[in-house]
Amino acid sequence: MKQLLCQPLLFCSLLSMAGIAAGATPLPAWQVLEYEQQAFFVTARSRVEIVPDAANAENWRLSANSSVASNSEELILDMVASSGRAVYRSRFSKGKNERYKTFDFQPEHILRVRRDPPPGNAGLPPAQWPISSSHDIPYPPLAAGVVVTDAYALLALAQRFLTSEEPTAEVVVYTEFNFYRVGMSRGDGPAIKVDYQVSGAPAVSGSRQTRLVTLQVTPVGEQREKPDFSLLGLDADVSVLFDRDNGLPLQLRGKAPRIGSTEINLKSVTMREPPA
């Protein structure tokens, strides 16, 4: 079994609070979340799904798809279920150009490989495109046991933190070349209007009471490229508002490029089938 990476004020407490051994961390009650944001006659959509990793019982596999105008991205993240630590990530992006990148989170560095389509493409899948660049990205100096993960994982980790007894929590998010410290705090949120569909059940609409987790984002170490932190298109400090009763992440608030302060709302949810 892989060594669990955690430390006080991170996620060790989140494991012990339920008395759950590593590898048996319960999945979120939701399986698929779909969000939508409209601005300037353009609609941005994001879909996030978490399932058990069929190849490793200790891991989860997160799949995310997002699109805005003619740009789209497909991401797959393998992460340790108990802590959220990233193990492997792939990202396929389409816009004016297509590119496929993989990130192997090794002990001493992250191996970042970019592939671009060959002339004519010839119908090859992205994973078979020729390599255009390869980089070993060193980790910045971090306290022992700090979890390095992807921004999409914050949806699950913030929900887990919300139900913990720790006053704060912290992880580090890796983007393309940069690292960001994400500190979490929680509190009471406002009542908000919701309108979302539940797969196989009636739609939910009306006012809901919320709890919120605030994500405070700060750069870590040398920034190799311009600021590029993003969670569902929000690039500054983000607040995630959870339904006080069922724990669903109903809304994200923050700032988006060229838009400013904005809200991203839950539009659809698929709940996980209960164990047989």
Side-chain angles (χ1 to χ4, degrees):
M1 183 176 293
K2 296 181 181 178
Q3 182 180 6
L4 176 63
L5 300 179
C6 51
Q7 66 176 22
L9 295 186
L10 295 179
F11 290 102
C12 287
S13 60
L14 305 186
L15 304 180
S16 61
M17 71 177 185
I20 297 170
T25 305
L27 287 148
W30 54 265
Q31 180 170 327
V32 180
L33 301 170
E34 297 186 55
Y35 291 92
E36 186 175 283
Q37 175 200 30
Q38 294 182 335
F40 305 127
F41 306 104
V42 175
T43 300
R45 295 183 175 88
S46 297
R47 180 185 188 275
V48 180
E49 180 174 13
I50 294 179
V51 297
D53 187 338
N56 189 332
E58 295 182 13
N59 292 352
W60 291 346
R61 170 158 288 190
L62 182 152
S63 302
N65 299 273
S66 60
S67 63
V68 55
S70 60
N71 299 310
S72 64
E73 175 183 274
E74 299 175 8
L75 178 141
I76 295 177
L77 172 70
D78 291 335
M79 60 180 176
V80 177
S82 58
S83 65
R85 178 173 61 86
V87 177
Y88 189 84
R89 181 178 74 187
S90 67
R91 178 183 289 142
F92 175 48
S93 303
K94 295 176 64 177
K96 292 183 178 180
N97 301 298
E98 295 183 339
R99 52 209 173 274
Y100 179 73
K101 301 173 185 176
T102 59
F103 306 82
D104 187 358
F105 291 75
Q106 300 181 9
E108 301 299 328
H109 64 268
I110 300 168
L111 174 60
R112 176 188 183 273
V113 176
R114 172 170 172 161
R115 297 175 182 267
D116 291 296
N121 196 348
L124 288 174
Q128 295 180 20
W129 290 350
I131 294 175
S132 56
S133 66
S134 179
H135 300 275
D136 291 341
I137 310 298
Y139 295 103
L142 299 172
V146 169
V147 169
V148 177
T149 190
D150 180 86
Y152 280 109
L154 294 172
L155 288 171
L157 296 180
Q159 185 174 10
R160 187 183 299 179
F161 165 67
L162 185 67
T163 59
S164 78
E165 297 180 356
E166 292 295 336
T168 61
E170 182 180 284
V171 295
V172 168
V173 164
Y174 168 68
T175 54
E176 286 284 335
F177 288 100
N178 296 331
F179 294 85
Y180 297 87
R181 181 175 290 107
V182 180
M184 302 185 196
S185 58
R186 61 176 172 269
D188 291 328
I192 63 172
K193 296 291 185 181
V194 302
D195 184 8
Y196 64 89
Q197 182 67 47
V198 181
S199 180
V204 177
S205 61
S207 179
R208 301 295 297 175
Q209 296 294 326
T210 67
R211 294 272 290 162
L212 68 82
V213 173
T214 301
L215 309 177
Q216 185 174 18
V217 182
T218 55
V220 177
E222 176 186 359
Q223 298 293 281
R224 298 167 61 95
E225 287 193 340
K226 63 182 181 181
D228 60 350
F229 177 88
S230 176
L231 175 57
L232 304 192
L234 302 178
D235 64 359
D237 293 346
V238 178
S239 294
V240 186
L241 280 68
F242 295 88
D243 190 299
R244 183 182 290 274
D245 294 328
N246 62 32
L248 286 176
L250 301 173
Q251 185 183 89
L252 285 78
R253 295 182 175 184
K255 294 183 178 179
R258 298 183 296 277
I259 296 176
S261 298
T262 189
E263 300 171 355
I264 299 175
N265 294 295
L266 181 68
K267 300 303 293 183
S268 176
V269 59
T270 300
M271 302 304 291
R272 197 173 305 279
E273 290 291 335

